[in-house]
Amino acid sequence: METHETPFRAALRTGLVLGLMMMVIVYLIYFIEASLLASNWFGLAVLILYFALLLFFGFKYRKEVGGYLPFGSAFQFSFFTLIVAGIIGLVGNLLLYMVIDPALPQVLADQQMENTMEIIESFGAADAMSTEQINEMKQGFLDAYSVGGQLKAFGFALIIYAILALIIGAIIKRKEPTQSY
């Protein structure tokens, strides 16, 4: 009798690999140029990489369990993989922002503020903003790097993970062919 790995067990293994890979990438970018962590391009690149790697691992898991995977199992695998990877990323980010470089949140908030002001100026709306609004926006960027801000971002990420897992699950599922007589 052949035993198959459950979606949860496979997701734990895959999530650990994906989370550690992403943490290494974040730390490499930090050591190369920390301000890139606040770049919109970095966030988009990470999302694309997550999607591609999750597809790769999802197809690999489907092959491991015999080539067929119902949508429910595909969704569970994807969602729990993202949760495990997200928790590892959360811990890695908290270590980076609170222990390794406590000054980094200020650098990233300043970079985000600069990026945002460039966008606002390109639309010609910079003059319409008061100093109070600008300071409030800057404080919001800084608060996002606090423990509470990171936990709140993780909570929001769970919604994104569910949507992404639905998409990935729909892509990697494969029904067993039924025999009709």
Side-chain angles (χ1 to χ4, degrees):
M1 183 169 138
E2 188 177 323
T3 59
H4 293 296
E5 189 169 37
T6 67
F8 302 105
R9 188 181 314 251
L12 180 62
R13 180 178 35 98
T14 303
L16 286 170
V17 170
L18 189 59
L20 291 173
M21 285 174 62
M22 289 300 156
M23 200 165 81
V24 166
I25 290 170
V26 166
Y27 279 77
L28 283 174
I29 296 296
Y30 164 72
F31 288 122
I32 293 169
E33 177 58 44
S35 64
L36 290 175
L37 293 172
S39 161
N40 291 333
W41 290 105
F42 178 73
L44 183 62
V46 165
L47 184 64
I48 291 169
L49 187 59
Y50 252 80
F51 193 81
L53 287 171
L54 198 52
L55 276 173
F56 170 77
F57 287 123
F59 287 129
K60 184 178 173 191
Y61 172 62
R62 184 179 75 189
K63 186 177 179 182
E64 288 173 5
V65 295
Y68 301 104
L69 192 63
F71 175 75
S73 295
F75 171 77
Q76 289 171 350
F77 168 80
S78 302
F79 188 58
F80 289 112
T81 296
L82 288 168
I83 289 174
V84 171
I87 290 170
I88 291 170
L90 175 66
V91 170
N93 286 345
L94 289 174
L95 276 172
L96 182 60
Y97 302 148
M98 305 300 155
V99 178
I100 296 171
D101 190 354
L104 183 61
Q106 184 65 52
V107 171
L108 296 177
D110 290 344
Q111 184 63 48
Q112 276 185 294
M113 188 65 197
E114 187 178 311
N115 295 345
T116 303
M117 290 309 293
E118 285 176 11
I119 292 169
I120 291 172
E121 287 171 3
S122 72
F123 286 110
D127 297 335
M129 293 187 70
S130 69
T131 306
E132 183 180 302
Q133 289 173 316
I134 292 172
N135 289 338
E136 200 174 294
M137 191 182 329
K138 192 172 190 173
Q139 186 60 44
F141 289 141
L142 188 58
D143 290 345
Y145 295 103
S146 69
V147 173
Q150 289 291 297
L151 291 173
K152 189 188 309 182
F154 182 72
F156 179 72
L158 288 174
I159 297 167
I160 303 299
Y161 292 165
I163 294 167
L164 191 56
L166 286 169
I167 295 167
I168 297 292
I171 293 171
I172 64 173
K173 72 169 175 48
R174 181 182 287 167
K175 290 182 181 180
E176 286 191 60
T178 56
Q179 295 181 354
S180 58
Y181 294 98

